[in-house]
Amino acid sequence: MISGKLVHLIETHASQIIQRVVDQIRREKDMPHIRALLDSELREWNLELLEGLSHWLSPSNQEDLGNRYERLGKLRFEQDIPLHESVRGLCLMREITLDFVEEHVASNSSVELYAEEELDRRLGFFFDLLITHVVRGYERALRRAVSMTA
């Protein structure tokens, strides 16, 4: 079971983590389209996700999460943001979130190390799910657009 203490750490510091994500996106040269978005837009989706992480990690909420991130994929298509930039943004959020936890938790025992390892594994699965749904929403929007022009 994933450590509630680590999830709570992420939820209570979500704004700080998201600011790091936004700052990193601003530095990424390979993300010119996402960099053009307003900070508020970059923060909105991600902040809601991290502030409610314990809710979203529950298997009973996966369908709602999937629908939400498929809408994000569709939105990114409509904004002419390349799919690889959307995926990279989610990868950055995962990396920065885990880095934040590592910085703020002293792993002095095998139990604490196990909790961090479990968080890493669970967030990996979680962000893989988000990416899959963003791609699905993006592809559906792309197919719709292609069929309308054909």
Side-chain angles (χ1 to χ4, degrees), residues 125-150:
F125 171 76
F126 179 70
F127 278 95
D128 287 349
L129 182 67
L130 295 182
I131 289 168
T132 299
H133 286 289
V134 165
V135 170
R136 183 177 291 153
Y138 196 99
E139 288 177 342
R140 284 182 181 159
L142 175 61
R143 281 193 300 274
R144 222 173 283 120
V146 167
S147 70
M148 291 175 68
T149 60

Side-chain angles (χ1 to χ4, degrees), residues 18-102:
I18 296 307
Q19 188 57 53
R20 289 183 184 188
V21 173
V22 170
D23 292 345
Q24 183 60 39
I25 287 171
R26 297 286 178 238
R27 289 189 296 269
E28 292 273 326
K29 292 178 182 168
D30 292 337
M31 299 178 75
H33 298 88
I34 283 200
R35 277 197 340 247
L37 296 175
L38 298 173
D39 283 6
S40 59
E41 186 172 356
L42 291 171
R43 293 176 62 77
E44 178 185 342
W45 281 87
N46 299 324
L47 191 58
E48 186 177 326
L49 180 73
L50 290 186
E51 285 180 337
L53 188 60
S54 56
H55 170 76
W56 293 119
L57 284 172
S58 171
S60 64
N61 296 315
Q62 284 188 356
E63 186 176 340
D64 289 341
L65 184 69
N67 291 332
R68 178 175 166 68
Y69 276 78
E70 284 182 33
R71 285 193 309 273
L72 178 61
K74 179 181 182 276
L75 175 63
R76 293 299 183 239
F77 174 80
E78 292 167 351
Q79 293 172 318
D80 291 325
I81 294 175
L83 183 56
H84 72 275
E85 289 187 33
S86 297
V87 170
R88 177 67 180 138
L90 288 169
C91 291
L92 284 172
M93 189 163 63
R94 177 184 173 270
E95 292 167 17
I96 291 169
T97 300
L98 289 171
D99 288 348
F100 183 88
V101 170
E102 241 179 66

